[in-house]
């Protein structure tokens, strides 16, 4: 008993020396937080379209079918799902570190001691069994269980398990963010494809009218009412529109392939109806409250879990400064001859040992690890604030765009109607020699440009409806 006390008293200065620098390791970190505005500009509706399932938000059955195929086959999403599996395995590994490690050990060997040694001389005069001296070549056979266990006195292993769990949850949210972006990307490219289809239709209708105008001007030239310059100008305009048609055809092909890539398949035609572009677009988007971004946006929640993981990682780094307490044990049968291995109680062998190991020499390495974990936590906090700010700015930008695009759409519609009439008027005036061919060319070009701009505005409205849905945190449910 006195010996145990003496050992304990001698151990105390050792532990004090090992842990003397740990009191200054502060794990309670914070940064100034930016308060989230109570509402979005000009928005007071507490409901948010982010809570609407994307199948209801995108009413087009063709688009819904494309998104379904993308979620099933997209390669980036498959990679993200595998990251979830890796994170889940990390959680299981961290849970296993808290439990004792037990294994079955089967081993054997042979050893010969020199005669003129303490072991050799002792063996030469010692009976290993009644009437039998220890053999010169001594075999050793062991069958049994061996166990080791690190007792988590300071919570290092428990914090590492919490790190793995938080990172797993962050990975889940990261996958939700991939799904949200995937849904939005398919919808965006699909809207662009519909806009290109309608652009191509307008260009081809314009080409037909320009061809008719060219034919008329050629007849007038033969009748002496027009000159070669007029013919060349009309022909140049026709060639420009034909070039524009080829460019649009190339854009259609590339956009189809972008969708096919998102769907994880090789290029093939995308079935669609171009008239869908003009279907009803929401005039008012329910944006909800900025605070709802914290619950709806997967990237915000991912950043939040990263903060949790960094906090536990910092606690684990602090615990590394304290001594490790390990217990090792073994229980089995050991003999020099297999026939005595299980038949004799004397073959039973066991051991039990506890060790306490405190860091001394590598303190600088532990401090560097602690400082790294500290910087990681502060970085995670700043990234969280940045993610919230970015989400708020995205929503405000899209709300403003939706409002302004509605006004632009109205103006472009009126402009398109006026310029369409101007084309007909210029033709009639040209027939009666009250307008020049240049005025006809300008009217045609202006009408084409106005129609193309109108299609582009409609496309931008549909893209804004998709982007606001994603910005509010929709698309992953």
């Amino acid at each position: 008993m006195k010996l145990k006390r003496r050992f304990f008293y001698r151990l105390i200065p050792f532990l004090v020396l090992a842990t003397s620098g740990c009191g200054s390791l502060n794990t309670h970190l914070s940064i100034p937080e930016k308060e989230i505005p109570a509402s979005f500009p000009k928005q007071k509706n507490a409901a948010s379209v982010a809570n609407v399932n994307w199948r209801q938000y995108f009413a087009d059955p063709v688009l819904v079918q494309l998104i379904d195929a993308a979620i099933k086959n997209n390669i980036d999403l498959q990679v993200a799902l595998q990251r979830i599996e890796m994170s889940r395995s990390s959680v299981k590994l961290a849970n296993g570190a808290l439990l004792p490690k037990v294994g079955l050990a089967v081993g054997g060997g042979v050893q010969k001691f020199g005669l003129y040694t303490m072991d050799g001389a002792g063996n030469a005069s010692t009976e290993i069994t009644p009437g039998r001296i220890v053999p010169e070549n001594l075999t050793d056979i062991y069958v049994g269980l061996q166990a080791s266990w690190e007792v988590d006195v300071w919570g290092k292993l428990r914090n590492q398990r919490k790190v793995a769990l938080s990172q797993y949850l962050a990975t889940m949210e990261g996958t939700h963010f991939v799904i949200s972006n995937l849904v939005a990307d398919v919808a965006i490219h699909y809207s662009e494809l519909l806009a290109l289809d309608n652009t191509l239709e307008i260009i081809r209708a314009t080409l037909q009218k320009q061809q008719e105008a060219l034919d008329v001007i050629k007849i007038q030239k033969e009748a002496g009412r027009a000159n070669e310059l007029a013919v060349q100008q009309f022909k140049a305009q026709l060639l420009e529109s034909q070039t524009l048609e080829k460019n649009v055809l190339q854009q259609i092909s590339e956009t189809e392939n972008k969708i096919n890539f998102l769907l994880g398949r090789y290029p093939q035609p995308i079935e669609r109806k171009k008239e869908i572009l003009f279907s009803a677009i929401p005039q008012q988007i329910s944006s909800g409250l900025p605070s709802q971004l914290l619950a709806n946006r997967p990237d915000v929640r991912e950043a939040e879990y990263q903060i949790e993981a960094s906090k536990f990682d910092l606690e684990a780094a602090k615990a590394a400064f304290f001594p490790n307490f390990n217990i090792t044990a073994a229980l089995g049968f050991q003999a020099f001859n297999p026939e005595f291995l299980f038949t004799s109680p004397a073959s039973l062998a066991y051991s039990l040992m506890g060790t306490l190991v405190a860091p001394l020499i590598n303190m600088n390495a532990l401090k560097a690890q602690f400082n790294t974990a500290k910087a990681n936590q502060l970085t995670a906090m700043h990234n969280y604030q940045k993610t919230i700010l970015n989400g708020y700015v995205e929503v405000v930008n899209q709300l403003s765009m939706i409002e302004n695009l509605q006004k632009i759409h109205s103006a472009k519609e009126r402009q398109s109607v006026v310029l369409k009439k101007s084309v007909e008027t210029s033709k009639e005036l040209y027939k009666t020699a009250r307008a020049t061919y240049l005025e006809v060319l300008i009217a045609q070009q202006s009408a084409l440009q106005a129609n193309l701009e109108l299609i582009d505005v409609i496309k931008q409205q549909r893209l804004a409806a998709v982007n606001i849905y994603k910005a509010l945190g929709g698309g992953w449910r």
Side-chain angles (χ1 to χ4, degrees), residues 449-464:
Q449 187 65 31
N451 288 332
L452 296 181
E453 290 175 357
L454 177 59
I455 293 297
D456 186 68
V457 170
I458 296 174
K459 180 191 73 174
Q460 294 298 328
Q461 285 183 290
R462 301 195 72 87
L463 298 188

Side-chain angles (χ1 to χ4, degrees), residues 228-412:
E228 181 62 23
L229 179 59
V231 174
Q232 292 174 353
Q233 291 290 335
F234 275 92
K235 188 174 183 178
Q237 187 185 58
L238 178 64
L239 292 172
E240 181 180 0
S241 297
Q242 289 174 344
T243 302
L244 186 59
E245 178 191 25
K246 303 306 178 186
N247 288 333
V248 172
L249 287 172
Q250 178 61 28
Q251 292 177 37
I252 289 175
S253 177
E254 292 179 0
T255 306
E256 281 186 321
N257 290 337
K258 288 178 182 178
I259 296 176
N260 284 317
F261 180 79
L262 292 175
L263 270 58
R265 67 189 189 188
Y266 287 97
Q268 57 182 273
I270 302 294
E271 298 294 331
R272 72 271 186 185
K273 296 180 180 179
K274 60 180 179 295
E275 297 81 11
I276 296 295
L277 183 70
F278 304 100
S279 59
I281 299 174
Q283 298 297 311
Q284 184 66 35
I285 298 292
S286 299
S287 60
L289 303 176
S291 58
Q292 292 174 319
L293 295 178
L294 305 183
N296 290 331
R297 282 187 62 122
D299 57 335
V300 174
R301 290 201 307 279
E302 180 185 10
E304 184 178 2
Y305 284 125
Q306 291 292 357
I307 291 179
E308 293 298 320
S310 67
K311 287 181 179 179
F312 296 130
D313 190 44
L314 185 61
E315 292 292 343
K318 180 179 179 179
F321 285 87
F322 296 92
N324 290 334
F325 181 46
N326 295 281
I327 298 175
T328 57
L331 175 63
F333 297 92
Q334 189 173 18
F336 77 98
N337 193 320
E339 68 178 278
F340 299 119
L341 199 60
F342 301 109
T343 58
S344 174
S347 296
L348 181 66
Y350 61 85
S351 66
L352 179 65
M353 178 176 291
T355 58
L356 196 63
V357 181
L360 287 178
I361 305 301
N362 63 338
M363 294 295 287
N364 287 333
L366 294 178
K367 289 179 180 179
Q369 183 179 358
F370 179 83
N371 290 333
T372 300
K374 185 176 180 180
N376 286 337
Q377 182 176 340
L378 292 173
T379 300
M381 290 178 174
H382 286 295
N383 183 62
Y384 178 67
Q385 294 292 331
K386 176 185 175 182
T387 306
I388 295 175
L389 178 60
N390 179 66
Y392 181 85
V393 171
E394 285 183 0
V395 173
V396 172
N397 286 343
Q398 294 304 321
L399 288 174
S400 176
M401 180 173 290
I402 290 173
E403 181 182 0
N404 290 323
L405 283 174
Q406 290 174 1
K407 299 175 182 178
I408 295 173
H409 184 188
S410 178
K412 284 296 179 182

